[in-house]
Amino acid sequence: MRSYYKGLLFDNDGVLVDSMQGAMAAWKQWGEKYSPGFELTKDHHGKRAQDIVLMLVGEAGFEEANDFINQLEQDLAHLTISLPGSKEFTSSLKPGTWTVVTSANPFLAKARLEAAGIPVPAELVTAYDVSKGKPNPEPYLKGAQNLGFDISDCVVFEDAQAGIQAGLEAGAGLLVGVTEHALHTDADIVVRSLEGITFQDGELFIPDSLRLR
């Protein structure tokens, strides 16, 4: 598959990096204190931690509970690893043509990217840069704006329905689902990984052998 676009917008967790080991451990410990029986599931993927916390504990206990999960996830960020092809692909991209649009706070986002050996783009969009997180379109609109491109000229790479929905409502030119988890989303196409994908002079090349759908 060959297509022409101006910018690439990547979700982080589940697309560029695997942070599940640390995230699962952090939320398990958090749940024991603030929401007994809570388990982090695929329904929570792509959503800001602060939105999950607010939903579970309400406004009264929000600040303390939110600070706790932020600290727990930060402490375990070093367990993050890169997903196949992500380091090679992002390292090959010219600055200003791509960025990461994540639901994590800026400190956690940078810690996870650095632990996985992924470059941290100057145009990074985090939970603190938007008033509403995914599935709201604001994060991806902000990502395109940071790059100076219209969202219709950008490709969104996501693994969760919340993120795909955000990209869809934003008006992204192409929605690429990454890994088998994305088979249950509304992505335009789904790929096994980022291995072998290239982006040069505006031309996005996705090998047919990578496609799951």
Side-chain angles (χ1 to χ4, degrees):
M1 173 184 173
R2 292 180 181 271
S3 303
Y4 287 87
Y5 298 94
K6 293 182 179 180
L8 307 183
L9 307 174
F10 296 90
D11 177 41
N12 190 27
D13 305 291
V15 173
L16 297 178
V17 309
D18 180 356
S19 58
M20 285 307 293
Q21 183 180 355
M24 292 291 286
W27 280 99
K28 183 178 186 297
Q29 186 175 342
W30 181 90
E32 291 172 353
K33 182 175 182 180
Y34 290 101
S35 184
F38 173 74
E39 290 186 17
L40 193 67
T41 70
K42 64 180 181 180
D43 293 331
H44 301 109
H45 292 181
K47 298 181 180 179
R48 297 186 300 180
Q50 63 203 70
D51 294 332
I52 299 173
V53 170
L54 183 61
M55 176 185 67
L56 291 171
V57 306
E59 293 185 3
F62 171 76
E63 186 172 350
E64 178 184 302
N66 190 56
D67 287 346
F68 189 51
I69 189 58
N70 284 340
Q71 188 60 57
L72 289 173
E73 289 202 294
Q74 190 74 33
D75 290 345
L76 296 172
H78 66 280
L79 298 175
T80 305
I81 60 174
S82 63
L83 286 170
S86 62
K87 284 196 291 188
E88 294 81 1
F89 189 21
T90 55
S91 295
S92 74
L93 300 173
K94 293 181 179 179
T97 65
W98 72 285
T99 193
V100 175
V101 179
T102 176
S103 296
N105 68 62
F107 312 105
L108 181 59
K110 291 175 183 177
R112 285 177 171 171
L113 286 167
E114 290 169 354
I118 306 291
V120 179
E123 302 84 359
L124 177 68
V125 177
T126 73
Y128 290 3
D129 296 313
V130 295
S131 60
K132 294 182 180 179
K134 305 170 188 177
N136 189 280
E138 186 181 353
Y140 279 114
L141 290 171
K142 179 67 173 175
Q145 180 184 27
N146 284 1
L147 291 175
F149 302 138
D150 189 280
I151 186 64
S152 63
D153 291 322
C154 296
V155 181
V156 163
F157 293 83
E158 267 284 356
D159 70 314
Q161 177 57 24
I164 290 294
Q165 184 177 336
L168 180 65
E169 293 186 11
L174 180 67
L175 303 169
V176 180
V178 183
T179 76
E180 293 181 356
H181 296 293
L183 287 171
H184 304 291
T185 72
D186 296 322
D188 295 318
I189 65 172
V190 179
V191 296
R192 184 175 294 105
S193 71
L194 299 178
E195 284 188 300
I197 299 179
T198 60
F199 184 64
Q200 296 181 339
D201 299 322
E203 183 179 20
L204 178 68
F205 173 64
I206 300 177
D208 289 339
S209 59
L210 275 185
R211 293 186 59 164
L212 296 175
R213 188 182 75 203

